[in-house]
Amino acid sequence: MSQRLRANALLVLWALICSFVAGCDREPESREVTPLTGAIMGTEYLIKVIDLPEQFTLMQLDGDIAQLLRGIDASMSTYRDDSELSKFNAAKTTEWVAVSEDVVEVVEHALETSRITGGAFDITVGPLVNLWGFGPDQHPDRVPTEDQIQAEKARAGYQYIHVRKEPPALKKDKEDIYLDLSALAKGYAVDQVADYLESLGIADYMVEIGGELRLSGRNERGMPWRIAVERPTPGVRDIFNVMQLESNGVATSGDYRNYFEQDGQRYSHTIHPRTGKPIDHRLASVTVIAERCMHADAMATALMVLGADEGLALAREQGLAAYLIVKSADGFIAKSTESFEQYLDTNEP
Ligand code: ADP
Ligand code: MG
């Protein structure tokens, strides 16, 4: 997971702070809700529980959630040599390697996403992510040589990965395959926390990890949750549009937070598996709403790879609620699928 603590909170949560949002004056008074916060997966999390059932304390919840998140990080992080994923990556074998059910679930979803996106989403791009300086290998930002790119690209290919459920295991057809789950692990972690809250009977909550979200029910004002889509301008925090949501997963991918520049060119952390290079097009950010945050997270990254036209076409074909912000000559223009429109807050901005 991205250790660059470059602000990952792509969805501007301060939109929830009423003063930023027009029309808030008409909303009922807010109740006091203490958010649970912490750091995980190279980023931060923020969880709001509106009505805590009497038999639980916030402290219990805090401890349980922290433990849950540490467990996911311990199995899926490429920043830890001892994670299940790192052990699989390091294993020079084409035999089945035992992993937890969690890892199988995430890898299986990743492979399914690869299939529906024609390989735009591909967790085997890990070596390329590292080569471009966006992975755990710490080295100065620089553009790699064409030979280096081709060498790492030759290692990639989601079709070389297989999953088994009983007993849970992964297998690679080539020994040097290396997986990077950063594009969907945060979404998975969000879902796990949300599922945990629901198992306690909690119906009104917000779970956010590094900008990926799951919302349910109502906010502290007894209103639907209002979440801003950020203007995709590097170094600036501004609202581009506002969504109104009740029970959804939301994820955003963009080219404007995690990148480096060389000779005036911006190199993003999203890699096009076909070229082995960072994406280079006019699509600046993609926000996807789906029932499961992991799906939204994976698809947001995939649409980001595909670019505005292909991305929008695939989102439509999939019936996906997607909102794309595209660079234009004088700023940005938004393109969304029909199923997204119901979520746009008509009062805003
Ligand atoms: P963020 O981590 O900022 O929320 P994403 O969810 O889009 O953003 O994930 C980006 C990360 O996914 C990259 O840092 C990299 O580790 C990984 N990645 C890059 N390109 C791809 C790709 N084509 N398919 C799958 N994962 C990718
Ligand atoms: Mg993603």
Side-chain angles (χ1 to χ4, degrees), residues 232-275:
T233 311
V236 178
R237 304 225 104 170
D238 194 11
I239 293 174
F240 190 81
N241 213 330
V242 177
M243 301 172 281
Q244 184 159 304
L245 303 156
E246 285 193 33
S247 296
N248 305 97
V250 191
T252 297
S253 283
D255 75 341
Y256 60 102
R257 288 256 174 251
N258 198 350
Y259 65 89
F260 72 89
E261 271 179 358
Q262 188 175 307
D263 305 326
Q265 167 97 20
R266 195 189 298 175
Y267 296 95
S268 149
H269 69 148
T270 306
I271 306 292
H272 202 308
R274 211 169 43 225
T275 61

Side-chain angles (χ1 to χ4, degrees), residues 72-324:
I72 296 171
D73 194 49
S75 55
M76 300 185 201
S77 176
T78 46
Y79 287 83
R80 306 168 54 139
D81 292 342
D82 62 345
S83 73
E84 288 182 71
L85 193 70
S86 291
K87 285 183 190 156
F88 175 71
N89 284 340
K92 294 281 169 266
T93 175
T94 55
E95 299 298 316
W96 288 104
V97 175
V99 292
S100 62
E101 284 176 11
D102 287 13
V103 173
V104 162
E105 193 182 337
V106 175
V107 172
E108 196 176 32
H109 193 85
L111 297 181
E112 177 59 22
T113 308
S114 297
R115 286 189 278 271
I116 63 175
T117 62
F121 187 89
D122 192 335
I123 52 172
T124 67
V125 297
L128 289 159
V129 172
N130 295 344
L131 179 67
W132 284 92
F134 296 108
D137 295 353
Q138 300 290 323
H139 60 74
D141 295 336
R142 49 157 173 71
V143 176
T145 65
E146 199 57 41
D147 285 352
Q148 288 175 311
I149 296 167
Q150 291 314 319
E152 300 299 37
K153 194 168 153 306
R155 294 172 62 183
Y158 69 90
Q159 65 276 17
Y160 301 123
I161 292 291
H162 309 279
V163 295
R164 185 181 71 190
K165 282 190 179 154
E166 299 274 339
L170 300 179
K171 182 173 158 32
K172 46 191 170 187
D173 294 335
K174 298 198 295 185
E175 286 180 358
D176 63 349
I177 284 276
Y178 172 105
L179 306 183
D180 171 8
L181 298 177
S182 304
L184 79 173
K186 271 189 289 174
Y188 178 75
V190 166
D191 286 330
Q192 291 300 105
V193 175
D195 291 350
Y196 164 74
L197 295 177
E198 280 175 21
S199 76
L200 303 182
I202 296 168
D204 299 311
Y205 61 80
M206 180 190 84
V207 176
E208 184 256 340
I209 305 177
E212 322 300 14
L213 287 153
R214 262 277 290 276
L215 305 150
S216 177
R218 300 281 162 139
N219 67 12
E220 56 268 63
R221 291 187 152 73
M223 304 290 287
W225 295 95
R226 304 175 86 191
I227 304 294
V229 180
E230 193 174 21
R231 181 174 295 280
T233 311
V236 178
R237 304 225 104 170
D238 194 11
I239 293 174
F240 190 81
N241 213 330
V242 177
M243 301 172 281
Q244 184 159 304
L245 303 156
E246 285 193 33
S247 296
N248 305 97
V250 191
T252 297
S253 283
D255 75 341
Y256 60 102
R257 288 256 174 251
N258 198 350
Y259 65 89
F260 72 89
E261 271 179 358
Q262 188 175 307
D263 305 326
Q265 167 97 20
R266 195 189 298 175
Y267 296 95
S268 149
H269 69 148
T270 306
I271 306 292
H272 202 308
R274 211 169 43 225
T275 61
K277 296 176 184 171
I279 48 166
D280 179 20
H281 49 52
R282 291 176 308 111
L283 182 55
S285 88
V286 178
T287 298
V288 173
I289 299 175
E291 204 177 311
R292 304 287 294 171
C293 188
M294 172 164 67
H295 187 53
D297 196 359
M299 287 307 290
T301 304
L303 300 187
M304 199 61 216
V305 171
L306 289 170
D309 298 339
E310 264 189 77
L312 196 63
L314 180 73
R316 287 199 171 120
E317 190 189 300
Q318 292 286 321
L320 200 66
Y323 187 78
L324 288 71

